Amino acid sequence: MSPVDTREPRPHTGRRRNEAVRRAILDAALDLLSDADGAPVTVETIARAAGVGKQTLYRWWPSKGAVLLDALTDYAAQELPTPDTGSLRGDLRAFATATFEASQRAPSAPALRTLVTEAARDAHLAQLMRDFTEARRAVLREILRRGHERGELPADRDVDLLVDQFYGFFWYRFLLGHAALDAVTAERITDSLLR
């Protein structure tokens, strides 16, 4: 019988992501976007802030925008969970309020603005942005599906149209900045969707 090897396994040094390094990079990207000094966020500044070489970022992400989107997706999953208040009205209001509040503060606000701008010039990032928005739309779709199941939303209501109405409203106000995205607005869009 051979002796048991009690040595610690060597850390992987190939292409597989080290979760601690990935987390440091995503946190650094969001921290840089949250800084109010207006300095541009680049692959170099993210790498420096995370304490890694920029080749590490390029090994795992094709662009700065892809890093930022990954960071924002991770942030949204943690900070904007699917509400379950027990009622469709409560869930919609909680979802709208959380979405609107997050879009008005760092790191979401600068990250979203940067990503929208860069996605207009980068087809790969534009696809990643569509994936991100689809993930957020799926959360809202789930809220509406539960409302159907509880009989709070008539079966003939078009869920995809309701999702489009919510996000069309959100993106219009977010990008143009012509009117508030606040708790009062969340209440009003909830009333409008449930009419």
Side-chain angles (χ1 to χ4, degrees):
M1 188 170 190
S2 58
V4 176
D5 187 354
T6 58
R7 291 177 296 174
E8 292 279 343
R10 280 185 42 216
H12 183 72
T13 57
R15 289 186 156 268
R16 190 172 59 195
R17 291 184 189 191
N18 174 314
E19 187 54 31
V21 173
R22 176 183 174 276
R23 178 84 266 138
I25 291 167
L26 298 182
D27 290 346
L30 289 180
D31 287 347
L32 287 167
L33 281 172
S34 300
D35 285 344
D37 66 5
V41 177
T42 64
V43 168
E44 290 80 7
T45 60
I46 295 170
R48 191 175 322 112
V52 300
K54 69 179 185 178
Q55 68 277 9
T56 301
L57 273 77
Y58 282 124
R59 187 179 314 129
W60 296 339
W61 294 279
S63 66
K64 171 189 79 174
V67 176
L68 297 177
L69 190 56
D70 199 4
L72 188 61
T73 300
D74 188 67
Y75 175 82
Q78 293 175 38
E79 299 296 319
L80 300 171
T82 305
D84 192 357
T85 66
S87 76
L88 177 57
R89 175 172 294 284
D91 290 351
L92 277 176
R93 187 175 48 243
F95 178 82
T97 300
T99 300
F100 294 171
E101 285 177 355
S103 74
Q104 301 305 300
R105 66 176 187 266
S108 299
L112 283 173
R113 285 192 172 83
T114 298
L115 291 167
V116 167
T117 301
E118 294 194 8
R121 298 186 303 260
D122 180 337
H124 180 257
L125 183 57
Q127 180 57 54
L128 293 175
M129 190 73 178
R130 281 190 290 277
D131 294 343
F132 170 75
T133 56
E134 182 49 42
R136 300 309 306 153
R137 288 171 57 87
V139 172
L140 181 52
R141 204 175 287 113
E142 171 61 17
I143 290 169
L144 295 168
R145 184 195 61 74
R146 284 195 319 243
H148 268 304
E149 288 178 354
R150 291 190 298 247
E152 298 173 274
L153 189 66
D156 64 348
R157 294 295 302 272
D158 185 333
V159 169
D160 284 324
L161 183 59
L162 292 173
V163 172
D164 284 345
Q165 288 172 332
F166 175 82
Y167 274 108
F169 175 85
F170 166 75
W171 283 110
Y172 188 79
R173 285 201 175 189
F174 177 76
L175 292 173
L176 296 184
H178 73 288
L181 284 171
D182 56 16
V184 172
T185 308
E187 185 75 38
R188 291 176 64 205
I189 192 68
T190 297
D191 289 343
S192 178
L193 291 173
L194 293 180
R195 250 184 224 129

